Amino acid sequence: MPARPVTGLGRLTALPRLVERLEQSYTDALVVVRDGTIAAEHYRDGVDPDGVHLLMSVSKSICGLTVGTLFDDGLLDPELRVDHYISELAGSAYGDATVQQVLDMTVDVDYDEDYRNPASEVQAQDRVAGWRPRLPEDPPDTYAFLAALRGGGRHGERFRYCSAGTDVLAWIVENITGLRYPDAVSQRLWSKLGCEHDAQITVDARGFGFANGGISCTARDLTRVGRLMLDGGVIEGRRVVSAEWVRRTIQGGNPDAASGTIFQRVHAGGSYSNQWWITGSSRGDYYAVGIHGQFIWVDPHTRTVVVKLSSWPEPVTEEWNRLHARLFRDICDAIGS
């Protein structure tokens, strides 16, 4: 089959040093959509535009939208406790937290998100998912891993980024729908976006979908998630998630909860809401992000969606996030001019 034509960077050629900036930030793919139409597109040599790329924690934002469809159908009340939906988590760090606190990552949980620390919970979760070699003491599956987590019970006070929370949400999705998480995402979200390709997801030994970071898809298809948010839950005339869920998400969470974080050093006044990052800027932009440089950036000011997939050598740094915020705003302004 012949290679699909690539739009190229034509509308962005006036942006100084753009190709250099993309190369220096280890870009694998960049797709820019304005008002629903691809305006610019770039792929690193050797990257197949129709090939899938791991999204890492952009997967969390996809989970947040899937949860939103349950809210829309009256199947989920975000103010109820997690153990209302998952009895097995009673007594765990998550049992007495509300679903909304899990969505906004304000759960008090003992969980180390240090991607380089072999003793961290995030590496243990990777091992359970099959991303790293297992150790003898590891839980047999994600369900057991989540049930073993403990915390101090002071929920709702501080933003605490924790990948385990997204898998708690996926477990809630399973219990409410009666479907495995990958099937629920497929039926309730992905199949309604009009994507060109199937997405993929990592599953553990019991078939539990690795909701916090395991989805892979093409850059073009990922722009449709951003378009869905930009247009209030509608894409190409199809209602997928309610305008109310999108509104609740982009209005943001409690900025005070995130005070003092690296995130707020880049986005002063920013917050985390329904598994999305809300910048708090005057232009109202917001984004999904995964380690090693995966992004959906949504700019309502210019009605632009930017997807960037990357292979950063480091998982995440403040400077990488600052650099990309500047890059995305420059791209949106250039497309919008």
Side-chain angles (χ1 to χ4, degrees):
M1 188 174 74
R4 174 176 57 73
V6 173
T7 301
L9 292 174
R11 290 186 63 177
L12 291 175
T13 52
L15 191 57
R17 298 179 48 251
L18 176 59
V19 173
E20 180 183 353
R21 292 169 77 180
L22 295 177
E23 290 175 352
Q24 290 178 345
S25 60
Y26 299 90
T27 305
D28 295 325
L30 177 82
V31 182
V32 183
V33 174
R34 173 98 188 281
D35 282 327
T37 300
I38 294 179
E41 189 175 26
H42 171 81
Y43 297 91
R44 178 177 58 80
D45 288 346
V47 173
D48 180 0
D50 292 310
V52 300
H53 192 291
L54 185 61
L55 305 184
M56 303 306 294
S57 289
V58 172
S59 306
K60 292 178 170 69
S61 302
I62 291 172
C63 182
L65 284 167
T66 305
V67 171
T69 68
L70 303 179
F71 168 82
D72 296 340
D73 291 346
L75 300 174
L76 177 140
D77 181 349
E79 299 309 318
L80 291 180
R81 287 168 40 141
V82 167
D83 56 13
H84 174 82
Y85 296 102
I86 309 174
S87 60
E88 294 91 334
L89 289 184
S92 75
Y94 284 95
D96 60 349
T98 68
V99 176
Q100 191 63 59
Q101 288 165 342
V102 182
L103 283 161
D104 295 347
M105 291 205 187
T106 58
V107 175
D108 182 8
V109 54
D110 297 330
Y111 186 100
D112 184 356
E113 190 86 15
D114 184 347
Y115 306 105
R116 298 184 184 278
N117 179 8
S120 67
E121 281 78 11
V122 73
Q123 281 211 15
Q125 200 165 2
D126 285 352
R127 295 194 302 270
V128 171
W131 279 11
R132 300 175 188 268
R134 290 184 61 88
L135 298 178
E137 65 270 21
D138 287 335
D141 53 47
T142 302
Y143 302 108
F145 174 85
L146 297 174
L149 292 175
R150 295 295 181 264
R154 296 175 63 89
H155 308 309
E157 297 179 4
R158 300 293 300 164
F159 170 68
R160 183 179 177 88
Y161 189 81
C162 176
S163 288
T166 308
D167 293 298
V168 170
L169 295 172
W171 193 348
I172 291 172
V173 169
E174 289 194 340
N175 283 1
I176 289 176
T177 64
L179 300 170
R180 302 312 301 266
Y181 178 71
D183 295 327
V185 175
S186 176
Q187 292 184 25
R188 301 188 72 88
L189 181 69
W190 199 261
S191 64
K192 300 180 180 182
L193 295 177
C195 295
E196 295 177 299
H197 299 283
D198 290 339
Q200 301 172 1
I201 187 169
T202 298
V203 296
D204 72 7
R206 283 191 58 190
F208 186 88
F210 200 34
N212 80 75
I215 294 178
S216 300
C217 70
T218 69
R220 276 194 168 191
D221 283 345
L222 191 59
T223 65
R224 291 177 172 269
V225 177
R227 289 172 56 192
L228 183 72
M229 292 291 290
L230 182 63
D231 287 332
V234 173
I235 187 166
E236 296 171 353
R238 297 183 299 277
R239 169 67 63 188
V240 180
V241 67
S242 69
E244 172 64 12
W245 185 259
V246 175
R247 184 196 65 77
R248 289 166 62 114
T249 301
I250 64 178
Q251 75 179 2
N254 177 12
D256 291 340
S259 65
T261 61
I262 291 175
F263 170 59
Q264 281 204 355
R265 291 205 294 269
V266 178
H267 302 289
S271 62
Y272 192 81
S273 176
N274 290 342
Q275 306 280 288
W276 286 78
W277 300 87
I278 315 302
T279 69
S281 76
S282 59
R283 63 195 295 158
D285 40 17
Y286 52 93
Y287 63 103
V289 63
I291 60 171
H292 298 289
Q294 327 317 322
F295 288 91
I296 308 171
W297 186 274
V298 183
D299 184 55
H301 179 69
T302 59
R303 289 196 48 78
T304 303
V305 173
V306 183
V307 161
K308 184 177 187 289
L309 304 175
S310 319
S311 296
W312 295 352
E314 303 91 5
V316 63
T317 68
E318 178 180 342
E319 184 51 36
W320 278 121
N321 283 338
R322 194 180 304 279
L323 179 152
H324 279 74
R326 289 194 296 265
L327 173 65
F328 296 143
R329 286 169 178 157
D330 287 348
I331 287 172
C332 291
D333 288 341
I335 287 291
S337 61

